[in-house]
Amino acid sequence: MENHDQPNALKKHVMFFDLNNDGIIYPSETFQGFRAIGAGILLSSIAAVFINIGLSRKTRPGKGFSIHFPIEVENIKMAKHGSDSGVYDKEGRFVSSKFEEIFIKHARTHPGALTSDELKNLLKSNRERNDFAGWLAAFIEWKILYYLCKDKNGLLHKDVIRAAFDGSLFERMAKEKASKKQK
């Protein structure tokens, strides 16, 4: 039974970017969040524009267009796209079996990590017919994760991917970046 007092995994995944905890994520918060996790200015800018433009309308049902492109955290499940891994169900809950399936099917070189080629195979296998927007969204999400989180050997580890899905990765990355700055 779901605990409605606790945010589901998909909400936790995006809540990091709600810097003022008001339930709404603006492009400036997306930008600042990406900078906090170590993304450069260009990537952070592009992410802020495309993420907020892409998700704002979907998370604001029945509301008119807003030039501020807010994303409503409470409705983030409405922004789930096709051609994804299925690790989040339609309510935004984490599905362990779908997560494990990623590694069973695609982690050939190292059982607990994905190479760049294995990630390409994952993306290709999840494509739904004629779902170009979903293909693009999945590609961008996974490539940014790979770019920011691969290790020195080009491996994207299972624990990192799980942390991205469960919402703990971004906090950890921001803390690591902040501690490096202090040294």
Side-chain angles (χ1 to χ4, degrees):
M1 191 157 144
E2 185 178 0
N3 181 352
H4 291 284
D5 295 334
Q6 294 295 317
N8 63 35
L10 183 55
K11 284 182 189 171
K12 288 179 186 175
H13 175 78
V14 301
M15 286 171 61
F16 170 80
F17 296 93
D18 182 11
L19 301 179
N20 61 1
N21 297 311
D22 66 352
I24 299 171
I25 304 168
Y26 292 99
S28 61
E29 291 175 297
T30 303
F31 174 85
Q32 291 172 41
F34 268 84
R35 293 292 291 146
I37 62 174
I41 292 173
L42 181 62
L43 176 57
S44 300
S45 299
I46 292 168
V49 170
F50 284 102
I51 290 170
N52 283 74
I53 287 174
L55 303 184
S56 179
R57 180 183 51 81
K58 294 175 182 178
T59 64
R60 302 178 69 243
K63 296 182 180 174
F65 171 79
S66 172
I67 191 71
H68 301 289
F69 298 105
I71 297 170
E72 293 188 12
V73 174
E74 187 61 33
N75 297 326
I76 196 63
K77 69 181 182 183
M78 296 174 171
K80 221 172 111 35
H81 58 79
S83 299
D84 69 0
S85 62
V87 174
Y88 294 125
D89 70 9
K90 65 180 183 170
E91 295 300 317
R93 296 174 295 230
F94 183 82
V95 180
S96 293
S97 61
K98 288 292 194 179
F99 178 75
E100 293 299 330
E101 193 175 286
I102 291 171
F103 297 92
I104 291 166
K105 288 183 174 180
H106 302 286
R108 299 288 178 223
T109 311
H110 303 276
L114 297 174
T115 65
S116 179
D117 287 340
E118 291 165 346
L119 182 56
K120 286 177 195 172
N121 289 333
L122 166 68
L123 290 167
K124 189 174 180 180
S125 73
N126 287 336
R127 287 183 186 163
E128 295 171 14
R129 188 179 174 108
N130 297 322
D131 178 29
F132 304 114
W135 297 357
L136 181 61
F139 177 82
I140 291 169
E141 290 165 354
W142 280 99
K143 287 300 187 170
I144 289 174
L145 181 63
Y146 183 81
Y147 172 74
L148 292 175
C149 298
K150 69 181 182 281
D151 70 10
K152 65 181 190 254
N153 298 314
L155 298 173
L156 185 59
H157 291 270
K158 186 176 187 176
D159 64 319
V160 171
I161 297 170
R162 184 177 186 97
F165 279 114
D166 74 20
S168 63
L169 178 65
F170 303 134
E171 283 289 337
R172 185 172 79 204
M173 291 173 72
K175 286 177 185 169
E176 287 171 6
K177 183 181 180 213
S179 73
K180 285 180 185 175
K181 264 186 163 176
Q182 291 177 350
K183 290 181 181 180

